[in-house]
Amino acid sequence: MFDEKDVLLEAKHVTRRFPAQGGRELIACNDINLKLYKGKTLGLVGESGCGKSTFMRFLVWLDRPTEGEVIYQGKDITKLKGRELHEMRQHIQMVFQDPSTSFNPKMKIRDIVCEPLLNYGRIRHSQKDQKARELLEMVELPGDFADRFPHNMSGGQRQRVAIARALALEPEIIIMDEATSALDVSVQETIIELVTKLQKEKNITIGFICHNLGFIQSFSHQIAVMYLGNIVEVMPGENMAKICCHPYSKALLDAVFDTKMDFSKKIDPIKGEPPSPLNVPPGCPFQDRCDKCAAICREKRPHLQELSPGHEVACHLFSKEGSV
Amino acid sequence: MALLEINGIDIAYGKQVTVKDCTITLDQAEICSIVGESGSGKTTVIRAVLGLLPGGGKVTKGDIIYDGRSLLSLNAREWRKLRGHDVSMIFQDSGAMMNQTRLIGKSFVEYIRTHEKISKKDAWKKGAEMLGRMRLPDPDRIMHSYPFQLSGGMRQRVGIAMGMTYEPKLLLADEPTSALDVTTQAQIVRQMMELRDEYGTSIIIVTHDIGVASYMGDKIVVMKNGQIEDQGGRKHILEESSNEYTRKLIGAVPSLGGKRYV
Ligand SMILES: Nc1ncnc2c1ncn2[C@@H]1O[C@H](COP(=O)(O)OP(=O)(O)OP(=O)(O)O)[C@@H](O)[C@H]1O
Ligand SMILES: Nc1ncnc2c1ncn2[C@@H]1O[C@H](COP(=O)(O)OP(=O)(O)OP(=O)(O)O)[C@@H](O)[C@H]1O
Ligand SMILES: [Mg+2]
Ligand SMILES: [Mg+2]
């Protein structure tokens, strides 16, 4: 379903370690291999703190992996510098998880949304007013908001400003880190209609981090599930609920609050202690919380193996080298 | 008698009236969920209850009665006392609001020590224990971290931990779980429900997650454009209401295996 010649960006064996208190080491991303395909969306889901933002930040040069590379047009982009990096940046834009911290509080919204366009000489100063208005209206904000400061807006309004700014450059790749989590479902729907429409017209590649499974599966071509720094399952976006098979992916699905759920049911969260990235056990990262954990899971780390085209899982239950 | 009565308030930023004629009453141990349009005034309303409207924001009409007395006439000292003991808030942007150049542990210890006379060491222990209850691994590592060293959802949980340290009578939670994965969210929702069940805490929770709003709320308030559009129990909002905006909102809730855009 995905053609290898359409791979636009590929992460190879990407690992990120952070030094931690007491001379210890924190592994935020552990040997990650992922592909982003031209014009397609990769949805990334997983437990809070499992390394999703850390991974996406490599793609926009906010951080560098300790090991591994990210290949784009034959080059490892994590090593770009100077002129080349500046040129490249306009092709990959990111919408951050905390939009309020990524804005200069002293700048008006007009200047914030037009800044990248001016930086790359795409518009003249005289066009700023008109362009700002257009961009704001595109994300369902009144054009007059151009005169406001970020702190005079609601959380969801600021988030939409960040989206407008990232879309302004019409980049080849957009990374959205929980870019719609502060929006009501109705505005969220409008935004995703807009984004998917632009994606089809301009063949944009998207990396989208999101906690809402129903939402992310509504527009992702592939979905990757991450746990404690590891990618544990990658699958086609449609039918996630039916085809996912990693025990962690299944636990995620069970924890969804749905409007059709049984409201008298007591919440039964995933058992076991939350895992620590300071203390990644040998073997499977999910071993302590998995009710199917066997001896091999404590010894050997399962690697991603293909189950069907586009569907890979890292779990000994599905291992081809013999059953558990 | 209700614990909290928001009586027909208007709230303005400068001259711009942003919230119009808002009325919400909340009994002891009752949970009210507020859902609605982005920019409709949800944060504004709950900030007003705590007297924490940002500069230029003011309640211009109506009254807010807490435990029998008007909150609008409190002086600074009385506010501090109330926020310390009875009412606490989890902010929408708690991660961004933290002092970025201070260790989480330092901020937490200071917070605890404004609430009770306790040694720094014990305050540290208490803080770390609260972090553990929010499903944060290695609480001690978190205490020794700066905000930028934590993930978005971890920072949000530090904010929740602070807001829940002193079993408040009234908890105002502004999108407390928007940055959390579903399993962690389930755990936090459970903790909030336990606060209500065990200590009789009344809760107002603002959320975009209609599932969470329905699960938690004894009643649900729907806001749009500065006004309350609709309110009622779960069944009313999810199934019965004929309000156009409510239907639009419920219709837009994404579900697994539902609509696809690509
Ligand atoms: N600069 C840093 N220094 C030290 N540790 C860091 C740093 N940045 C991230 N970490 C750690 O790396 C881990 C992964 O963080 P990351 O922000 O990638 O998580 P996430 O999956 O995006 O979580 P969330 O869903 O909560 O946003 C966390 O344990 C975090 O504390
Ligand atoms: N400090 C401020 N000065 C002026 N206007 C403001 C200020 N804060 C918010 N507003 C405006 O008041 C309205 C209500 O904002 P509020 O933050 O209460 O919305 P909200 O319902 O919480 O939205 P969201 O779901 O996006 O967080 C918005 O239109 C916003 O632009
Ligand atoms: Mg993150
Ligand atoms: Mg808000």
Coordinates of all heavy atoms in Angstrom, one line a residue, chain B residues 20-49:
Chain B
K20 N -21.8 36.6 28.8 CA -23.1 37.2 29.1 C -24.0 36.3 29.9 O -24.2 35.2 29.5 CB -23.8 37.6 27.8 CG -23.2 38.9 27.2 CD -23.5 39.0 25.7 CE -22.7 38.0 25.0 NZ -22.2 38.1 23.7
D21 N -24.5 36.9 31.0 CA -25.6 36.3 31.8 C -25.3 34.8 32.0 O -26.2 33.9 31.7 CB -26.9 36.5 31.0 CG -28.1 36.3 31.9 OD1 -27.9 36.5 33.1 OD2 -29.1 35.9 31.4
C22 N -24.2 34.5 32.7 CA -23.9 33.1 33.0 C -24.4 32.7 34.4 O -24.0 33.4 35.3 CB -22.4 33.0 32.8 SG -21.8 31.3 33.3
T23 N -25.1 31.6 34.4 CA -25.6 31.1 35.7 C -25.3 29.6 35.8 O -25.7 28.8 35.0 CB -27.1 31.3 35.9 OG1 -27.4 32.7 35.8 CG2 -27.6 30.8 37.2
I24 N -24.5 29.3 36.9 CA -24.3 27.9 37.1 C -24.3 27.7 38.7 O -23.8 28.5 39.4 CB -22.8 27.5 36.7 CG1 -22.7 27.7 35.2 CG2 -22.5 26.0 37.1 CD1 -21.3 27.5 34.6
T25 N -25.0 26.7 39.1 CA -25.0 26.3 40.5 C -24.4 25.0 40.7 O -24.6 24.1 39.9 CB -26.4 26.4 41.2 OG1 -27.3 25.6 40.5 CG2 -26.9 27.8 41.3
L26 N -23.7 24.8 41.8 CA -23.0 23.6 42.1 C -23.2 23.2 43.5 O -22.9 24.0 44.4 CB -21.5 23.8 41.8 CG -20.6 22.6 41.7 CD1 -20.9 21.8 40.5 CD2 -19.1 23.1 41.6
D27 N -23.7 22.0 43.8 CA -23.8 21.5 45.2 C -22.6 20.9 45.7 O -21.6 20.6 44.9 CB -25.0 20.5 45.2 CG -26.3 21.1 45.1 OD1 -26.5 22.2 45.5 OD2 -27.2 20.5 44.4
Q28 N -22.6 20.6 46.9 CA -21.4 19.9 47.5 C -21.3 18.6 46.8 O -22.3 17.9 46.6 CB -21.6 19.8 49.0 CG -20.2 19.6 49.7 CD -20.3 18.6 50.8 OE1 -21.4 18.4 51.4 NE2 -19.1 18.1 51.2
A29 N -20.1 18.1 46.5 CA -19.8 16.8 45.9 C -20.5 16.6 44.6 O -20.7 15.5 44.1 CB -20.2 15.7 46.9
E30 N -20.8 17.8 43.9 CA -21.3 17.7 42.6 C -20.3 18.0 41.5 O -19.3 18.8 41.8 CB -22.5 18.7 42.4 CG -23.3 18.5 41.1 CD -24.5 19.4 41.0 OE1 -24.4 20.5 41.6 OE2 -25.4 19.1 40.3
I31 N -20.4 17.3 40.4 CA -19.4 17.6 39.3 C -20.1 18.2 38.1 O -21.1 17.7 37.7 CB -18.6 16.4 38.9 CG1 -17.8 15.8 40.1 CG2 -17.7 16.7 37.7 CD1 -17.0 14.5 39.7
C32 N -19.6 19.4 37.7 CA -20.2 20.0 36.5 C -19.1 20.1 35.4 O -18.0 20.5 35.6 CB -20.6 21.4 36.9 SG -21.1 22.5 35.5
S33 N -19.5 19.6 34.2 CA -18.6 19.7 33.1 C -19.0 20.8 32.2 O -20.1 21.0 32.0 CB -18.6 18.4 32.3 OG -18.4 17.2 33.0
I34 N -18.0 21.6 31.8 CA -18.3 22.7 30.8 C -17.6 22.3 29.5 O -16.4 22.0 29.5 CB -17.8 24.0 31.3 CG1 -18.3 24.4 32.7 CG2 -18.1 25.1 30.3 CD1 -17.9 25.8 33.2
V35 N -18.4 22.2 28.5 CA -17.9 22.0 27.1 C -18.3 23.1 26.3 O -19.0 24.0 26.7 CB -18.4 20.6 26.5 CG1 -18.0 19.5 27.4 CG2 -19.9 20.7 26.4
G36 N -17.7 23.2 25.1 CA -18.2 24.2 24.1 C -17.1 24.7 23.3 O -16.0 24.3 23.2
E37 N -17.5 25.8 22.5 CA -16.7 26.3 21.5 C -15.4 26.9 22.0 O -15.4 27.5 23.1 CB -17.5 27.4 20.8 CG -17.1 27.8 19.4 CD -18.0 28.9 18.9 OE1 -18.6 29.7 19.7 OE2 -18.2 28.9 17.7
S38 N -14.4 26.7 21.2 CA -13.1 27.4 21.6 C -13.3 28.9 21.5 O -13.8 29.4 20.6 CB -12.0 27.0 20.6 OG -10.9 27.8 20.6
G39 N -12.9 29.6 22.6 CA -13.1 31.0 22.7 C -14.5 31.5 23.2 O -14.8 32.6 23.2
S40 N -15.3 30.5 23.7 CA -16.6 30.9 24.1 C -16.7 31.4 25.5 O -17.7 31.9 26.0 CB -17.5 29.6 24.1 OG -17.0 28.6 24.9
G41 N -15.6 31.4 26.3 CA -15.5 32.0 27.6 C -15.4 31.0 28.8 O -15.6 31.4 29.9
K42 N -15.1 29.7 28.5 CA -15.0 28.7 29.6 C -13.9 29.1 30.6 O -14.2 29.1 31.8 CB -14.8 27.3 29.0 CG -15.8 26.9 27.9 CD -15.5 25.6 27.3 CE -14.2 25.5 26.5 NZ -14.1 26.3 25.3
T43 N -12.7 29.3 30.1 CA -11.6 29.7 31.0 C -12.0 31.0 31.7 O -11.7 31.1 32.9 CB -10.3 29.9 30.2 OG1 -10.0 28.6 29.5 CG2 -9.2 30.3 31.0
T44 N -12.6 31.9 31.0 CA -12.9 33.2 31.6 C -13.8 33.0 32.8 O -13.6 33.6 33.9 CB -13.6 34.1 30.6 OG1 -12.7 34.3 29.5 CG2 -13.9 35.4 31.1
V45 N -14.9 32.2 32.7 CA -15.8 31.9 33.8 C -15.1 31.3 35.0 O -15.3 31.8 36.1 CB -17.0 31.0 33.3 CG1 -17.8 30.6 34.5 CG2 -17.9 31.8 32.3
I46 N -14.3 30.3 34.8 CA -13.8 29.6 36.0 C -12.7 30.5 36.6 O -12.5 30.4 37.8 CB -13.4 28.2 35.8 CG1 -12.3 28.0 34.8 CG2 -14.6 27.3 35.4 CD1 -11.8 26.5 34.9
R47 N -12.0 31.2 35.8 CA -11.0 32.2 36.4 C -11.7 33.2 37.3 O -11.2 33.6 38.3 CB -10.2 32.8 35.3 CG -9.0 32.0 34.9 CD -8.2 32.7 33.8 NE -6.9 32.1 33.6 CZ -5.8 32.6 34.2 NH1 -5.8 33.7 34.9 NH2 -4.6 32.0 33.9
A48 N -12.9 33.6 36.8 CA -13.6 34.6 37.6 C -14.0 34.1 38.9 O -14.0 34.8 39.9 CB -14.9 35.1 36.8
V49 N -14.3 32.8 39.0 CA -14.7 32.3 40.3 C -13.6 32.4 41.3 O -13.7 32.6 42.5 CB -15.1 30.8 40.1 CG1 -15.3 30.1 41.5 CG2 -16.4 30.7 39.3

